[in-house]
């Protein structure tokens, strides 16, 4: 197995107000315009004595998923890593130096 085959990617993205940090063996630009394909999710071994509830939640959420499509604008960061870390979900915190673009007011339904 070559070093390229053993690469694991840490993908961090926003999903419904939460920051997901997942590990996968394959990522690529999708044929669906504006999406990233994430395949072969990697989670820690279940033989550990201490089980992280956040990682277990992600494991059950992505159980049976062959491929996930994430919008490119939701991607925060992608790293090629040597070691597998712990997958996790955390709350997205505001207060950074990026302000969301203001949306126009919604019209009344009258």
């Amino acid at each position: 197995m070559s070093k390229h085959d053993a690469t694991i990617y840490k993908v961090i993205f926003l999903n419904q107000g939460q920051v997901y940090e997942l590990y996968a063996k394959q990522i690529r630009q999708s044929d669906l315009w504006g999406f990233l394909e994430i395949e072969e999710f990697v989670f820690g071994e279940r033989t550990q004595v201490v089980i992280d509830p956040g990682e277990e939640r992600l494991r059950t959420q992505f159980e049976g998923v062959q491929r996930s499509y994430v919008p490119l604008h939701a991607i925060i960061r992608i790293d090629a890593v040597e070691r597998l870390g712990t997958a996790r979900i955390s709350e997205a915190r505001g207060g950074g130096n990026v302000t969301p673009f203001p949306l126009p007011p919604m019209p009344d339904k009258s």
Side-chain angles (χ1 to χ4, degrees):
M1 176 169 25
S2 72
K3 184 170 175 76
H4 182 69
D5 293 338
T7 302
I8 296 175
Y9 298 97
K10 178 170 73 171
V11 183
I12 304 171
F13 62 94
L14 288 171
N15 182 31
Q16 299 178 346
Q18 296 181 318
V19 177
Y20 280 56
E21 185 175 318
L22 294 172
Y23 292 85
K25 291 184 180 179
Q26 292 188 32
I27 57 171
R28 66 168 90 35
Q29 184 174 339
S30 174
D31 290 337
L32 292 170
W33 190 79
F35 285 84
L36 180 78
E37 288 182 23
I38 304 172
E39 295 183 45
E40 297 185 44
F41 295 102
V42 182
F43 296 99
E45 295 295 320
R46 287 183 183 237
T47 58
Q48 297 173 350
V49 175
V50 179
I51 298 174
D52 183 9
E55 184 174 26
E56 195 61 30
R57 180 175 158 206
L58 281 169
R59 184 190 308 265
T60 57
Q61 183 175 351
F62 287 95
E63 185 176 9
V65 175
Q66 294 176 350
R67 182 178 302 121
S68 189
Y69 297 89
V70 177
L72 289 175
H73 67 272
I75 300 293
I76 296 172
R77 182 176 175 156
I78 299 172
D79 294 324
V81 297
E82 293 179 3
R83 279 184 251 145
L84 179 64
T86 304
R88 68 181 109 209
I89 300 175
S90 58
E91 292 299 319
R93 290 176 284 193
N97 60 356
V98 177
T99 304
F101 193 74
L103 297 174
M106 296 300 290
D108 291 334
K109 293 185 177 183
S110 6

